[in-house]
Each structure stands twice: as C-alpha cells, then as structure tokens.
Amino acid sequence: MNRRLLMFFVFIVSATCLSAKEGMWIPTLLQKYNIEEMSQMGFKLSAADIYDVNHASMKDAVVSFGGGCTGGVISNDGLLITNHHCGYGEIQNHSSVEHDYLTNGFWAMNKSEELPNPMLTVQFLVKMEDVTDKIMTDVKDSLTQGGRLDLIQRNTSEVIKEYISGTGYSAQVKPLFNGNQYFVYVYETFRDVRLVGAPPSAIGKFGGDTDNWVWPRHTGDFSLFRIYADKNNKPAKYSPNNVPYHPKKFFPINLKSLKEGDFTMVFGYPGTTQRYIPSQAVNLIANQSDPAKVAIRTAKLDILNTMMNSSAKIRIQYAGKYASTSNSWKKWQGEVKGLQRLDAVNLKKSGELEFTKWVNENPDRIKKYGTILSDFEKLYGEYLPYQSVNDYYTECVQRSTDIFSLASRIEPIEVAGKDDLRKMEIKKVKDFLVDYLKDYDKTTDGKVWSALMQIYLEKVDHRFLPEKLLKQLPKISNIQVLTTIYNKSLLSDSLKIKKLVENFGARSIKELQKDQAYSMYKMISQQFKAKVDFPFRDIFAKIGAVQKKYTAALMEMNAGKRMMADANSTLRVAYGRVEGYKPVDGVTFKYFTTIKGVIEKDNPAIYDYNVPEALRKIYRTHDFGQYVNDTGEVPVAFCASNHTTGGNSGSPVVNANGELIGLNFDRGWEGTMSDIVYDPDVCRNISLDMHYALFIIDKFAGAGYLLKEMEIVK
C-alpha cells in the first residue's frame, strides 16, 4: 500500500481503527464501541457513569453554555465553570469605564453580589435516542428531494412533540452521518444564570491573539457562573426569589499532579466537523474560502486594534466584537497550513481512488454509487463562484459592521405595511438600540465599513453586484468617498436614528431612501437574495444529497467497523492521554506549563502580557499554597490527545476516576485542520489546569470561600 493511500485510511476511515486519539463519540454508544478501549487506557468507571438516563451520571454535570460553549457544574449549589472567553460577552456587558471588569476582573464575595444575565441560558441533556426509523417513516427514494425534506421535517415535528409533551423540556432532532441516521435530544433549559467570578483579561485572556491557538499556553481561561432555579429546583426566569440550583451530579476536582500518559476524557458539545467531505470541498476550503475570509478579517482587525488601543471606552465597546472576529481568523490560517502540510486534497483523492475500486468490484454498487464522484466534480464546479460571493457577503455585509447590522433591523420597519406589524418591528429596534448604542463608536465603525465595502466592491464578481452600484463603481470604490457616505448617513448618528425610530412615518421612509449607506445595504442584500442565495442553497442541497449517499457508501464499505459521526453541537465524548508533541523538526513541546512561564512572558508595555501586580507579588513570595505540582510551581495549562473542536470550549476534562482536572479551551495551531483530517502526531487539545483556576480564585482574588462548596480531591 502506498503512503498516500495509507494516510487516507489513517485520516479518513481511521475511526474504523482503534485510534485512541481521534473521535468524538456518542455517549449512548460507548458501551458498544469504546468502553473496552477506554478501560485499557486506564479509565476506571463504566459507560453508565458517563451517561445514564435513570441514574445520576456525568452528563448531569455538563451543560451547553449559551448555545456555543460547554460548562461543568462543580458544586451542589449550581456553581458552574466555563472558559473566560465563553463568558466574555456577559463580562463585557457588565463592564464600563467606571467598572471595567474586563481589565480588573469581577468577583462576587457572596451570592447577593452575583450578576444576572438576562440573555444567557444553559441546557442539561435529559436524554438522547436513535429515532432514525421514525424520521424516515414513508421517506422513499422515489420522492423528489423537496418531497423527502418536507416529509422528514413533518416527521421531525411529530417526534419532537412526542418527546416533550407535558414535560416542560425542549427537544431537537439532529442528523448523523450526513442524514443516514437521526437522534433526538431532550433538554432542560435554565434561564437564571449569574456571573460569580472572572479573572482580569490579563489572566483570562493572557497572550491575546498572539497566543491564541498556540502551545505552549499560559492563559487562565475560566469564569464562574451560578445556575438558579425556583423553590422546586425547576427552571425559572430571573427572580431575586430564585435559589441556587441543586444538580443531580457535580464534578469533584482533583489536585494531584498530572503525569504524561495519564488518561483524559473531554465531555462536551463540539460544534461541527467535516471528515467525510470530498477532495473538491477540501480544495475549496484550503484555496478559496479560508484565504478570502482571512484577508477580510485581517483588514477589520487591523482597524479595530488601532482604535481599541486609542481609547479605554472603545476597547470595552469593541472587545467582544474583536474577540469573535479574531478567533476564527487565526484558526482558518492554521487550518490552511495544516491542510497544505498534509497535502489533504491529494490525500482525499487517493481515498476516492480506493472508493472507486471498491464500487467497481460489484455491479449493484456501480448502479447505486457509480456517479457519486463525478456528481461531486460537477456540482462543486457550479458551487465555487456562489460560495465565493457568499463568503464576501457574509464577511463584508452580513457580519461586518454596526451600521449594516442596524440597517438589517431598520429595513423590516420600512417595508412593513400594516400599522400593528410596523409597531412590532419598531419595538424590536428600540430594544436592539439599548445595547447597540452602548457598544457603538462612529469613527471606529466608519473605518471598518469603508474598508470592507471597498473590498466587497473590488473582489466580488461583477455579475453579482447591483447594476446601479456597477455604474457608480469608479466613483464610490474609493476609501475617501466611502468614508464620506458613511459619515453623512443618518444611521451613523445616534440622535437621528433614535428620532427616526421614535417618529417613524412617511417622511422617515423618504429619508431612508435618500440615505446612500442604507440604500447600498438594500441594493446589495436584495441583489444577493435575488441572484445568489437561491442558486447557492439549491446547489448546496444537491451536494448534500450526494454527500449523504457518499457517506452511506463509506459506511457500507466499512461495515462492521466503528465510524465516528461528525460533530453536530450535541454531547460527545473524546478521550486520549496527557502528552506533548513535536510540531516541527527540532522542536519538542512538554505537556504542561506553569506560572513561571506567565512571569517570563510578563511585559507591562503590551496589554495582553501585562501581568497584574498582585500576581507578580504572589510569585515573588511563592505563596502558592496547595496548588503546586511536583515541580513546586503552579501548573497553568496542559495538552492532551483528545479530539476537540469549536463548542468544546469550557468542556470538563476529567481523569480516569471522572474527577475534574481541567477545562478545555483551545487546540494547538498545527492541528486546527482536525475538523477535516486528523493527524495524531500534532493534533492536541489545550486545557486549563484546575490547579491554576483554584489558585486564582483563592490566592489572587481572595474568593476562597467558593472552594468550600467544592469537593476537592488531593
């Protein structure tokens, strides 16, 4: 077998092999596929200790946090730990120049000081079940694609109704293996979640974007929240009468020193992976989509960085926007490098050659699967230009600037015909403006808008631009002209926009129609909907149908062997070992970092590396208490061979006894392509060591009272 073909089996179908490092596994199937291997690696508990519907298990101590992260419950009073970057939006919302919790941190010294977060929810999984037969009832191959999707949607609604009727729970049905299997997930949602503590950004975000996605890491990436419930321990909206939630299960915290080779398990809600996509999709990601998005975000981040450094107020206003922009920006760069290093496009092609050989061995397979690869080639050829303009639209228009975000909410008011509908839309905008204006700076947003509009007008294929804009292109695709357009827009004036919304009428519509920035938004968005969105979605749906068939074929090709379903933001288990790695020739990384490294990186001249004086003082006196490891230093972070992705941020990392040893917060940059292909030599997850979290809570923040409600194993 040649090397490329061997690599294909390692990366693409390696879940059929017993690789301890790769895989995000479904908890209900651990007993069948994983527990024996986990035990061989040192795990001392049972599959039922991880997931059990009828008895308390680890699943009852894990939450989906805010819909995009994970958290773990660490006390019988609902104390919850997640990443600092997961709680960043809430910390930022509570911050002001007078109370700068981002810079200075926040610590409630008793429960009455904990801060409510009206928009934050956490969800506990009640149960998950395979409902493939119910979802696919009467779904036949003879149906059109639209007919199939409609019937699946109707069946899905019936299944959800069946599972939540009379319970107060919510549920969702999600496809696995690209629609070849379906699971239902039932959740209990809590809506009163209060901020308890967060270290200053100089600890919780230490290293900033320079260290993001990088190992070795010295970031104290954690924050604390508390879940509240009514007097019956049931979910309730915020009320001062609510009481701390008493969970079915919480994680004890282990403070013993970690050793290389120790068993680790990550339990959380990974976002999405794409391990079964064809070579054409990998080529699109590595050579078109990721590079374009990186270039756009580089322009945006350069402006935000300059403006945030010029003013403490702007830094607070745009902290969350900067963080959400920069995270994927750096990840995409690492992903491209990893795909190129592995020659992933040709790696996929080698696997496709083997797939073709397997198909051609059987006439029935030829009839059933023979056109899959040629279908991919045709469809992706049609898809590429639409994907390109979709990327530019998403990055430059849809998620780009404050003013376009506002325009997207103003437009429904303008087009609303009935008074009652218009009143409803006006109320939505009034509610939106409360937080919007708090975090808006005209100069900053104007610079970003002008730069991104210039990119959009220059880079998007002209056939996808509005005809009116095309005629104006030589004049308006100039940064000075665009800046003038922005500054003259009534949407950039907080007083004018308030007045417009308060007194909306026929005159307001005329003002909007004359507003050049608003008109540009409408022209671009309407052109996108008319010329791009439908064919983009139509081709994507056709690709999805072929992808479903391709995945089914791979499952048949590997019948009897275990295969990992792609992550889909549902609860999964990943397991591996504490271990370092060798990212490049001549470099070997240890598996842990310590507070010594924090002090070595200290640089008061750089915001992200300016260690708080209180932490410097503790280090000088070596007042480390019980939080040292065998080296005599406080461990800060460790890396391990658990397969993780976005959404795993804040996931509990437990040892062989199910005790909390860390909090997952990142991946090594060399392995960020692991959503698509997995390299066991360099793919590492990065976790905060619980020694450091407790050390910061106790020694740095003086909030040691919180430790009294935890169960600590020494």
Side-chain angles (χ1 to χ4, degrees), residues 156-170:
T156 295
S157 297
E158 289 300 315
V159 167
I160 289 175
K161 190 184 302 182
E162 173 191 342
Y163 274 81
I164 67 173
S165 180
T167 65
Y169 297 145
S170 63

Side-chain angles (χ1 to χ4, degrees), residues 281-292:
V282 177
N283 181 60
L284 184 154
I285 292 167
N287 297 310
Q288 176 181 299
S289 187
D290 278 3

Side-chain angles (χ1 to χ4, degrees), residues 214-226:
V214 169
W215 181 260
R217 200 67 175 272
H218 298 85
T219 310
D221 196 351
F222 78 97
S223 55
L224 297 172
F225 291 80
R226 193 182 303 279

